[in-house]
Amino acid sequence: MEGARPGGPPPGAGPGSFPALFPPGLHGIYGECRRLYPEQPNPLQVTAILKYWLGGPDPLDYVSMYRNLGNPALNVPEHWHYVSFGLSDLYGDNRVHEFTGTDGPSGFGFELTFRLKRETGESAPPTWPAELMQGLARYVFQSENTFCSGDHVSWHSPLDNSESRIQHMLLTEDPQMQPVQTPFGVVNFLQIVGVCTEELHAAQQWNGQGILELLRTVPVAGGLWLITDMRRGETIFEIDPHLQERVDKGIETDGSNLSGVSAKCAWDDLSRPPEDDEDSRSICIGTQPRRLSGKDTEQIRETLRRGLEINSKPVLPPINAQRQNGLNYDRAPSRKDSLESESSAAIIPHELIRTRQLESVHLKFNQESGALIPLCLRGRLLHGRHFTYKSITGDTAITFVSTGVEGAFATEEHPYAAHGPWLQILLTEEFVERMLEDLEDLTSPEEVRLRCSHIWPRKMLHSSLVLLVLEFGSFQPFPQLQGSATL
């Protein structure tokens, strides 16, 4: 990626004219930037040396950097404003994005923005945010997952590679930039907001929108325009301890809207060894793990997309559910998500995989994933919802469901059920409360240090005893998994 240089549309590229070499999609975004910054027609830009559509590594063609004077009346400080070009369709000729018409989203339907507080005496914008935006764009292009307002990104490193406490991100609508209608569809602008680890955890336990609203009330933590200050040394909960009470009350009242995560996870049937090739455990045998069918993949995707809707019962959608857009929250964003198995439908027809009832199951999670178990139990299942862990590389998926969720193949009579590599575990409210008591040491990821396990015997209505074994810590796959659920 090339360093900062003056950029912008060619001279004379007014709102109503399209120079022959000036792409219309690019022109539409520039027009919105010109509306905000009429005095900066040629902002500094970071440009991809070799464009993505020519084989380069950077999906964003450009990142423009503007100087924003803020709004003293609203206590909004002066800052640098970064705008990406490339997640939307700039060209309309299928070189990067498939053109699908003018009524839907352009490309992925959004561009990224970022607001960084300007330091005293700083005459030029730092360029590191452009690389941060390229990193997020690479994730979007590789996974075809889109972002939505309220999403969080676990980055686990200072955004500017310093010693800053700002190590993660939330996403929200840009407070100044308006959606743009281009000849290739609509473009929205999603702003990156840098947050501390404690704020990320609060967003996971409750919801991203709630934490964004709290950040807006604290000027030094973002204020109305959610400006990132990499020098911020305190969390919003240290600045105003009363804000933690609002989060706790929100979790108790609303639960969490995080309905699933991609994770290091694995499961094993302890009931018996696999008997034949059609046994669901045979997905874990050999070097070619069994894949999900296309219909199962669709249902798991819907499991992640749909949680408890307001004033309605939570539903695991039927296997032939119509495809919707979405990712890991109780909301509806994306044109594809990470649960799609590229060639699964051709490998095993859905009808050939039996749904099996299991008597004992063994679950494995790494530290970060294991630390979300209380969220899954308290923030989701106790509110009548469901939560899914999806292996980040294989087709393995583990869905916890409450008794109020309709459409699950796990039942109160058979609480552990598998359909191919997809395991469902139904937990009653009483059982969830019991688990939470035993998992009090999982209140934060920092407390999950060593490998440990919990075992819950469970007496069922038909007098048999079933077993749930949960193991978390340093992740090691089951010996027979051969890569189907490991990093």
Side-chain angles (χ1 to χ4, degrees):
M1 191 163 57
E2 194 178 30
R5 63 172 180 79
S17 62
F18 294 112
L21 298 179
F22 193 61
L26 191 66
H27 184 279
I29 302 172
Y30 268 129
E32 178 61 11
C33 293
R34 287 289 294 272
R35 183 187 67 81
L36 281 183
Y37 303 104
E39 76 289 352
Q40 301 180 59
N42 296 298
L44 289 174
Q45 281 186 333
V46 176
T47 305
I49 298 176
L50 183 62
K51 297 295 187 284
Y52 191 74
W53 38 274
L54 292 175
D58 299 320
L60 302 178
D61 282 9
Y62 315 99
V63 175
S64 288
M65 303 176 287
Y66 296 90
R67 183 169 178 171
N68 191 303
L69 298 180
N71 189 327
L74 299 176
N75 202 16
V76 176
E78 189 172 346
H79 58 278
W80 304 109
H81 192 194
Y82 300 77
V83 182
S84 76
F85 295 79
L87 285 161
S88 64
D89 191 350
L90 304 179
Y91 304 99
D93 57 6
N94 295 318
R95 73 177 72 179
V96 179
H97 301 280
E98 180 182 357
F99 175 61
T100 57
T102 60
D103 295 333
S106 170
F108 288 102
F110 69 96
E111 293 290 352
L112 293 170
T113 73
F114 183 61
R115 295 174 185 267
L116 177 67
K117 183 180 179 182
R118 177 177 173 268
E119 300 295 337
T120 302
E122 203 169 45
S123 59
T127 58
W128 63 261
E131 180 52 41
L132 181 73
M133 297 165 87
Q134 289 284 14
L136 291 177
R138 280 190 285 271
Y139 163 77
V140 171
F141 272 80
Q142 291 166 10
S143 67
E144 294 192 2
N145 294 334
T146 62
F147 292 124
C148 281
S149 179
D151 282 358
H152 72 262
V153 179
S154 302
W155 200 250
H156 300 291
S157 177
L159 303 188
D160 61 351
N161 295 316
S162 68
E163 299 298 320
S164 174
R165 292 185 70 177
I166 308 300
Q167 301 188 10
H168 309 280
M169 292 166 272
L170 298 179
L171 291 142
T172 188
E173 296 93 349
D174 189 286
Q176 287 187 295
M177 302 192 74
Q178 300 173 1
V180 172
Q181 176 68 58
T182 77
F184 314 130
V186 178
V187 182
N188 293 288
F189 296 94
L190 282 180
Q191 180 176 315
I192 300 165
V193 182
V195 296
C196 302
T197 299
E198 295 83 351
E199 294 154 358
L200 172 80
H201 291 164
Q204 292 175 328
Q205 298 289 332
W206 185 23
N207 62 73
Q209 295 290 5
I211 300 304
L212 288 165
E213 286 303 316
L214 296 185
L215 288 166
R216 290 186 178 97
T217 68
V218 183
V220 297
L224 289 177
W225 291 5
L226 294 170
I227 297 165
T228 299
D229 180 2
M230 294 303 297
R231 294 180 180 268
R232 174 160 68 97
E234 293 181 302
T235 70
I236 56 173
F237 309 114
E238 293 165 341
I239 296 170
D240 183 354
H242 292 97
L243 295 182
Q244 185 62 58
E245 298 175 7
R246 293 177 59 180
V247 173
D248 293 340
K249 184 177 180 180
I251 295 172
E252 181 180 355
T253 303
D254 307 328
S256 172
N257 74 338
L258 183 68
S259 60
V261 293
S262 297
K264 288 183 179 180
C265 64
W267 67 269
D268 194 20
D269 177 9
L270 299 181
S271 310
R272 58 178 177 78
E275 296 177 346
D276 53 50
D277 290 341
E278 297 303 325
D279 191 308
S280 68
R281 282 194 66 205
S282 66
I283 63 166
C284 302
I285 304 299
T287 58
Q288 296 296 324
R290 185 183 296 276
R291 288 183 175 271
L292 287 171
S293 73
K295 291 183 178 179
D296 281 330
T297 296
E298 188 66 40
Q299 187 175 355
I300 297 177
R301 283 203 297 270
E302 293 292 337
T303 300
L304 286 185
R305 293 186 185 115
R306 296 175 57 184
L308 180 62
E309 297 179 359
I310 297 175
N311 298 323
S312 67
K313 296 187 70 174
V315 177
L316 283 176
I319 288 180
N320 62 353
Q322 182 179 0
R323 183 169 184 169
Q324 297 181 9
N325 291 328
L327 237 180
N328 299 59
Y329 290 84
D330 294 342
R331 41 86 168 163
S334 128
R335 68 181 186 184
K336 177 185 172 186
D337 64 44
S338 59
L339 288 183
E340 181 158 355
S341 178
E342 295 276 329
S343 57
S344 58
I347 296 177
I348 301 180
H350 168 267
E351 293 77 9
L352 296 183
I353 303 179
R354 300 195 306 266
T355 297
R356 287 193 49 230
Q357 286 77 42
L358 314 179
E359 294 183 0
S360 303
V361 292
H362 186 179
L363 313 181
K364 282 190 177 184
F365 301 95
N366 70 329
Q367 291 183 5
E368 185 175 4
S369 302
L372 292 176
I373 290 290
L375 178 154
C376 162
L377 300 176
R378 183 178 292 110
R380 298 293 298 179
L381 269 65
L382 286 183
H383 289 264
R385 306 178 188 177
H386 51 77
F387 191 90
T388 294
Y389 287 94
K390 171 65 180 67
S391 171
I392 58 178
T393 56
D395 277 325
T396 298
I398 302 167
T399 297
F400 293 90
V401 298
S402 67
T403 53
V405 174
E406 297 180 347
F409 48 79
T411 64
E412 289 193 60
E413 184 178 5
H414 300 289
Y416 313 140
H419 199 92
W422 183 13
L423 173 69
Q424 287 186 10
I425 298 176
L426 186 144
L427 301 176
T428 64
E429 183 174 341
E430 179 183 3
F431 198 79
V432 169
E433 296 284 5
R434 178 180 166 193
M435 291 180 67
L436 284 170
E437 289 181 7
D438 292 341
L439 296 174
E440 289 182 356
D441 58 340
L442 280 180
T443 54
S444 70
E446 288 75 12
E447 296 174 2
V448 187
R449 295 301 184 190
L450 301 175
R451 176 182 294 275
C452 55
S453 61
H454 294 263
I455 301 176
W456 291 276
R458 192 172 180 182
K459 193 70 172 291
M460 301 309 297
L461 296 176
H462 47 73
S463 298
S464 65
L465 193 68
V466 297
L467 201 65
L468 174 64
V469 181
L470 174 64
E471 181 179 338
F472 52 85
S474 178
F475 185 83
Q476 294 293 330
F478 295 107
Q480 70 269 33
L481 286 184
Q482 299 291 333
S484 67
T486 64
L487 270 179

